[in-house]
Amino acid sequence: MMSRFNEHITQALAERHQQGLYRQRVCLERTAQHVNHQGKSLLNFSSNDYLGLAQDPQLLQAWQQGLQRFGAGSGASPLVTGFNHPHQQLEQQLAEWLGYDRALLFNSGFSANQAVLFTLLNKAHTLLQDKLNHASLIEAGMLSPAPMKRFKHNDVSHLSRLLCQQADQASLVVTEGVFSMDGDLAPLADISNLTQAADAWLMVDDAHGCGVLGEKGRGSCDLAKIKADILVVTFGKAFGLQGAAVLCSEETAEYLVQFARHFIYSTAMPPAQAYALSQACELIQQGDWRREKLAHLSHEFEQALDSAIGFTNTPSPIKPLLVGCSEKAMQLSHALSQRGCWVSAIRPPTVPANSARLRITLTASHSIEDVKYLATTINEVMYD
């Protein structure tokens, strides 16, 4: 006899299959701008390693040096014995670079986002989020004690109306700097003006902007010439590693140290990793040529793509090619892999219904020939 839990699991998996939305992991071996799959080398256009630092010899050497000096793990949470000199140095480096009093390290952007929302908000507050914010933010908002309202994507007028409705409450407005599935930028200058006028706080998740945009790679807020009250940056994209940091005021940082469970009860990132991240931070600041190359690659890709496809370029390395139908997106992804290009198909529920897409990402490791080949191959398979 099937137990109730087994019945629930079996039914949910069957429904996911029937919807054509079943997800499967693929084991790959990565080398520079390629992935190796089943003995075949494919150009990788699905990596968030925008600056190509994950394979950079200087960064690899820094992590090796960190392992030799500090060992493999931190051994404890930051409030026990897990906070070491490399962590302190990285926090100070990030705070100085990005213009904040303090930085606090987390093991992932997911945990950093959830730590802030779970810890900062209570029933007397209001949370206002962009409708297309990352799942970590939306989930935290749903579970937070504060009532949450979502404003239409990048719709400043809608946000203004919501702020007016909540004029008697402390409000936190949360947006991404660069939206991970669409590659577009939030209108941060306008949002910042609104929050300041409403005496609200602004939190920006700049996972996909930091390192890529702004002067010396400072990110979306620097590009928009604003300063968010809370800034979250992650290290799994342009930094080429893993982890995250929350940038904020001295008092807010101390509040999170005292009350954020994700910070208090999680083992700290390995000090060797923090040591390597300090090197990544330096490489990002010195990497204007990488950002210039990304802009050039973006232009070349747009020029080589058939204009009839209806592609709209973005100011970020994320280039979504909207297809609509999930089955069609999967077919195109497979056709591209058969021709030597690894491009992921993104389907609901990751994106809204009927907005399945190819999520193309460019990196500084790609060559002009690489992106031109991708564009011409898309031109071929789109109408097969």
Side-chain angles (χ1 to χ4, degrees), residues 97 103 192 194 197 263-264 297 312 319 322 359 368:
W97 174 42
S192 178
L194 279 179
F263 182 83
I264 298 168
L297 292 174
T312 301
K319 311 295 180 185
L322 294 179
R359 184 181 182 271
I368 293 176

Side-chain angles (χ1 to χ4, degrees), residues 313-329:
N313 207 353
T314 68
S316 74
I318 303 166
K319 311 295 180 185
L321 188 59
L322 294 179
V323 177
C325 172
S326 295
E327 184 178 356
K328 177 67 173 177

Side-chain angles (χ1 to χ4, degrees), residues 159-170:
L159 173 60
S160 178
R161 292 195 297 273
L162 292 177
L163 282 168
C164 288
Q165 294 170 10
Q166 312 300 323
D168 59 340
Q169 292 181 306

Side-chain angles (χ1 to χ4, degrees), residues 117-138:
L117 297 192
F118 285 145
T119 309
L120 187 63
L121 299 172
N122 62 39
K123 293 179 181 179
H125 302 143
T126 299
L127 174 62
L128 304 176
Q129 296 214 55
D130 189 289
K131 190 173 183 179
L132 296 188
N133 274 356
H134 189 266
S136 60
L137 293 166
I138 299 302

Side-chain angles (χ1 to χ4, degrees), residues 141-156:
M142 293 171 64
L143 299 175
S144 163
M148 178 178 71
K149 295 187 177 181
R150 298 166 71 178
F151 57 93
K152 298 174 184 177
H153 177 53
N154 282 347
D155 191 327
V156 178

